[in-house]
Amino acid sequence: METPDHATETPADPAEATGIAAQNWATAAADPQYRAAVVDLLGALAYGELAAFERLAEDAKLAPTLGDKAELAKMAAAEFHHFEQLSDRLTAVEEDPTAAMEPFAKALDDFHRQTAPSDWLEGLVKAYVGDSIASDFYREVAARLDTDTRALVLSVLDDTGHGNFAVEKVRAAIEADPRVGGRLALWARRLMGEALSQAQRVVADRDALSTMLVGGVADGFDLAEVGRMFSRITEAHTKRMAALGLAA
Amino acid sequence: METPDHATETPADPAEATGIAAQNWATAAADPQYRAAVVDLLGALAYGELAAFERLAEDAKLAPTLGDKAELAKMAAAEFHHFEQLSDRLTAVEEDPTAAMEPFAKALDDFHRQTAPSDWLEGLVKAYVGDSIASDFYREVAARLDTDTRALVLSVLDDTGHGNFAVEKVRAAIEADPRVGGRLALWARRLMGEALSQAQRVVADRDALSTMLVGGVADGFDLAEVGRMFSRITEAHTKRMAALGLAA
């Protein structure tokens, strides 16, 4: 089975990119506000990967079979290696990875605490929904980044194989017992609500990052564009829920 | 700081090895009982690595700092890759990794359930003690294996860096508050007791494996030798506890 597409309408084609999207890191980072925004972005992404590692390792304990457990552990290890790449890049640009991650730890920890899955299927839906939305968001932002940072961000968003695995298992569970679909649809809506509320908190807190998102530093973003980005992400979410057999 | 040595007296030098220790897998595995014993050994080791992955990922949640958390996550990922190597080898010799692991899952799960650490330091001591004893045991057994299996077993026992990390953290905690040492020494003794009782259960259950250990299949092992092996492992444990600042 195929995983439904990500929000594919990337708003800028890097080949025709101008401004920051046409520059490499060394040139772009001369602007201290751009630099601060990228450090924020990499810090948020790194902590997200570390939290994803923990969450998948935790979900592995709920796995109904040894094979499922090994599959989840494999994805957790892949997330950890993404974390390593991001952490190494922060070190390479002389930033302390821990300091860069710290501002985002609370929002992500709160999100995970408030959405602790109560069983294996809720864990799968959460991993699938959460990873997909995060990955759509970073893909959108990536198009606005300098060439070096963009390449890094896109490489850590490489599919860890979680999508197909979750879609197959969840669809099979709904086929076996259709009532499961209603419960999981509610769960997915709760996840989306919590994710948005934590994201708002982060954006309100981090000046450099949010200025970049609304067009103050990197070129091409304005508020209307941010609105369109959120509707692309929401549409992609709706399609994914349908593919899972859930009403979004 | 150096990690204290493993039980170094490996009882057979592979260069002078005779019998199975001088054969490769293809030759040695022609004996169906030897083959069954090795499948057991690889299955036990694979499940041990998967359980170690889970345990370290769990301990990462107790980490007092983001840096410690990342360090534990790194070790967990390393354990997972060891699991992958063992699982790939089982597949390569046409054995189902899940079926090979299954007989050992209960003993290892019981061990981990009965020795769930109540804090970060207990987790570190457990990981250190557990990994070291397991690694001493497999190193001893490795010397009796065919050349291909031996190379694999030794490669997955490569230090994941956990030793030095645990020793440093635990010594610092005892220096800061000497009473911690008494509590952790009791904890280490409990771990050793639980580990031995689960190991006995496994040996009683798995004929091919225990026959190999007491000399029925692979050459060189007899009951007296098994006794000496256990005293080498116990001595190494005592030395490691002293290095941690704990009375064994």
Side-chain angles (χ1 to χ4, degrees):
Chain A
M1 176 178 312
E2 291 231 323
T3 312
D5 285 343
H6 293 280
T8 42
E9 290 286 320
T10 47
D13 177 349
E16 302 166 11
T18 53
I20 279 172
Q23 296 171 13
N24 64 12
W25 166 254
T27 311
D31 174 349
Q33 214 183 342
Y34 177 77
R35 184 187 171 93
V38 169
V39 169
D40 261 13
L41 196 69
L42 297 181
L45 194 42
Y47 194 79
E49 297 284 359
L50 196 54
F53 161 84
E54 285 195 322
R55 186 199 61 210
L56 289 166
E58 185 76 24
D59 290 350
K61 288 196 294 190
L62 300 170
T65 70
L66 259 181
D68 289 334
K69 188 194 280 285
E71 204 55 48
L72 270 265
K74 182 181 184 164
M75 294 167 200
E79 304 282 9
F80 177 75
H81 295 303
H82 292 164
F83 160 76
E84 259 183 336
Q85 283 177 267
L86 293 158
S87 173
D88 288 351
R89 171 65 62 98
L90 282 162
T91 305
V93 301
E94 287 167 7
E95 297 285 341
D96 174 27
T98 300
M101 290 191 287
E102 211 91 64
F104 306 100
K106 190 172 177 337
L108 274 153
D109 287 350
D110 284 352
F111 172 73
H112 285 303
R113 203 172 14 248
Q114 275 152 25
T115 58
S118 66
D119 64 17
W120 165 245
L121 289 172
E122 288 191 3
L124 284 181
V125 169
K126 177 175 168 181
Y128 179 57
V129 167
D131 289 358
S132 307
I133 292 175
S135 145
D136 281 349
F137 169 74
Y138 284 106
R139 237 176 266 275
E140 294 269 354
V141 174
R144 257 82 185 180
L145 297 168
D146 66 274
T147 52
D148 296 313
T149 308
R150 181 167 59 237
L152 172 66
V153 167
L154 292 178
S155 85
V156 302
L157 295 180
D158 261 1
D159 194 7
T160 51
H162 199 283
N164 290 340
F165 182 79
V167 169
E168 267 173 47
K169 299 282 169 179
V170 171
R171 285 178 68 109
I174 294 173
E175 262 162 50
D177 177 2
R179 284 168 308 172
V180 164
R183 175 166 71 85
L184 292 179
L186 278 176
W187 170 246
R189 272 201 288 279
R190 209 183 117 205
L191 290 171
M192 189 63 161
E194 278 296 334
L196 287 176
S197 97
Q198 295 299 336
Q200 278 174 337
R201 239 178 68 188
V202 167
V203 168
D205 266 10
R206 305 301 296 173
D207 279 352
L209 186 59
S210 39
T211 306
M212 182 172 81
L213 290 181
V214 297
V217 178
D219 55 309
F221 257 98
D222 56 32
L223 270 173
E225 180 52 37
V226 170
R228 285 192 290 274
M229 176 179 94
F230 277 110
S231 38
R232 282 192 298 271
I233 291 178
T234 309
E235 273 166 38
H237 171 72
T238 308
K239 276 191 213 163
R240 279 190 300 262
M241 291 304 92
L244 268 183
L246 303 178
Chain B
M1 178 179 310
E2 290 230 327
T3 312
D5 284 344
H6 293 280
T8 42
E9 290 286 322
T10 47
D13 177 350
E16 302 167 12
T18 53
I20 279 173
Q23 295 171 13
N24 64 12
W25 167 254
T27 312
D31 173 349
Q33 213 182 343
Y34 176 76
R35 184 188 170 91
V38 169
V39 170
D40 261 12
L41 196 69
L42 297 182
L45 194 41
Y47 194 78
E49 297 284 0
L50 197 54
F53 161 84
E54 285 196 321
R55 187 198 61 211
L56 288 167
E58 184 76 23
D59 290 351
K61 288 196 293 190
L62 300 171
T65 70
L66 260 179
D68 289 334
K69 186 192 281 286
E71 204 55 49
L72 269 266
K74 182 181 185 163
M75 294 167 198
E79 305 282 10
F80 177 75
H81 295 303
H82 293 163
F83 160 76
E84 259 183 336
Q85 282 177 267
L86 293 158
S87 174
D88 288 350
R89 171 65 62 100
L90 283 162
T91 305
V93 302
E94 285 166 10
E95 296 286 341
D96 174 26
T98 300
M101 290 191 286
E102 211 91 64
F104 306 99
K106 189 169 178 341
L108 273 154
D109 288 350
D110 284 353
F111 172 72
H112 285 302
R113 204 171 13 248
Q114 276 152 26
T115 58
S118 66
D119 64 16
W120 165 245
L121 289 172
E122 287 191 4
L124 284 182
V125 169
K126 177 175 167 181
Y128 179 58
V129 167
D131 289 357
S132 307
I133 292 174
S135 147
D136 281 349
F137 169 74
Y138 284 106
R139 237 177 267 276
E140 294 269 354
V141 173
R144 258 80 186 181
L145 296 169
D146 67 272
T147 53
D148 297 313
T149 308
R150 180 166 60 237
L152 172 67
V153 168
L154 292 178
S155 85
V156 302
L157 295 179
D158 261 1
D159 193 7
T160 50
H162 199 283
N164 289 339
F165 182 79
V167 169
E168 267 173 46
K169 300 281 169 178
V170 172
R171 286 177 67 109
I174 295 174
E175 262 163 48
D177 177 4
R179 285 167 309 172
V180 164
R183 175 168 70 86
L184 293 178
L186 278 176
W187 170 245
R189 273 200 287 280
R190 211 185 114 206
L191 291 170
M192 189 66 160
E194 278 297 333
L196 287 175
S197 98
Q198 295 298 337
Q200 277 173 338
R201 242 179 65 188
V202 167
V203 168
D205 265 12
R206 304 300 298 172
D207 279 353
L209 186 59
S210 39
T211 308
M212 181 171 83
L213 290 182
V214 298
V217 180
D219 55 310
F221 258 98
D222 56 31
L223 271 173
E225 179 52 37
V226 169
R228 284 191 291 274
M229 176 180 95
F230 278 110
S231 40
R232 282 193 297 272
I233 291 178
T234 310
E235 273 166 39
H237 170 72
T238 308
K239 275 191 211 161
R240 278 191 298 262
M241 290 304 93
L244 269 183
L246 304 178

